Amino acid sequence: VKIWERASADYGTGHAQIHSAAAAKDRDGLTEGMFIPNASAIEQSLTTDPAVSHFTRRIRFDGLVSHQGRAIYFLGIAVEPSSELKVAPKVFAKDTDVGRFLHDDDPFGAVIGRGMADTLQVAVGDGVSLSLQPLKGAPDAINVKVRGIVELPLPKLSKRVIFLNLKTIQKALKTDQRYTEIALRVQTAPLADSWVPQQAERYAQW
């Protein structure tokens, strides 16, 4: 569990994140060790915890995104659209961001950072191609359509980040139904300050 950082909880981290022990060590792409063991038991515990209001599943991975001859490396965050904004409600801000966030019934939608949009010279409605490496087999590619463009405070992140539909990426990366991260939100912000330290050691044993 990563300790809650107040300034970023609404913008992407949630109040806490649960990863496998190997996730902090594996930096060379997506590996088997990065997937959360005993995920169903952890989720059952979170579901019955009165302090937890919402949780969501994610996969973080990387690859190459291209559009009309321009290409850059990306940091992909595959999310569950229906629950992501409940955990991190300001990931997409309707008053400042362009377009819309991902929908569950739009498997090939994408939301990208302003920096990426400027670098690739794409707008909402344009298509981009993603080259990625599945867990097994040869590199693969999928085509997605930009549904939204988000303003992010960190230039490097804005240039690299792309949000995608979790189920689509699970299929493309051949991960079955597994994921590398559970992000959660507790009932109130003050409660997060006490809940996270209390639960960190507990979930570290799973």
Side-chain angles (χ1 to χ4, degrees):
V1 177
K2 289 187 176 180
I3 297 300
W4 175 51
E5 298 177 8
R6 187 181 301 274
S8 59
D10 287 349
Y11 290 89
T13 64
H15 287 145
Q17 301 169 18
I18 299 174
H19 304 267
S20 73
K25 302 176 183 178
D26 292 344
R27 299 298 184 184
D28 298 325
L30 192 66
T31 66
E32 286 285 351
M34 296 178 71
F35 293 95
I36 299 175
N38 302 317
S40 59
I42 292 173
E43 290 189 10
Q44 179 62 30
S45 177
L46 294 174
T47 299
T48 57
D49 189 330
V52 176
S53 61
H54 302 287
F55 67 85
T56 191
R57 307 168 185 91
R58 299 171 178 162
I59 293 178
R60 294 180 185 265
F61 67 106
D62 53 25
L64 191 72
V65 56
S66 59
H67 174 74
Q68 295 184 353
R70 302 177 184 86
I72 56 173
Y73 286 100
F74 71 83
L75 169 62
I77 307 176
V79 304
E80 298 174 299
S82 59
S83 57
E84 180 67 21
L85 294 183
K86 294 177 182 178
V87 171
K90 294 184 180 179
V91 165
F92 189 91
K94 293 181 180 180
D95 55 341
T96 57
D97 297 330
V98 179
R100 63 165 174 81
F101 196 62
L102 304 173
H103 289 174
D104 287 332
D105 59 358
D106 182 17
F108 294 99
V111 173
I112 66 176
R114 169 58 63 189
M116 179 181 290
D118 292 345
T119 300
L120 297 177
Q121 298 183 20
V122 298
V124 171
D126 288 341
V128 297
S129 178
L130 307 179
S131 300
L132 41 81
Q133 177 61 58
L135 278 177
K136 299 179 181 179
D140 201 358
I142 60 173
N143 296 316
V144 297
K145 188 157 290 190
V146 177
R147 301 302 187 193
I149 298 173
V150 294
E151 303 289 345
L152 298 169
L154 301 176
K156 288 185 178 180
L157 185 61
S158 179
K159 189 175 181 178
R160 293 196 62 203
V161 74
I162 179 169
F163 294 93
L164 299 151
N165 189 295
L166 179 63
K167 290 183 178 180
T168 300
I169 296 305
Q170 286 174 324
K171 183 176 180 180
L173 296 178
K174 301 178 181 178
T175 69
D176 299 320
Q177 297 182 0
R178 297 177 297 165
Y179 38 91
T180 62
E181 178 180 317
I182 299 173
L184 62 95
R185 191 172 191 86
V186 298
Q187 294 288 353
T188 65
L191 181 59
D193 289 322
S194 59
W195 186 93
V196 173
Q198 291 171 0
Q199 300 300 321
E201 184 174 352
R202 174 190 176 200
Y203 285 108
Q205 305 302 318
W206 290 41

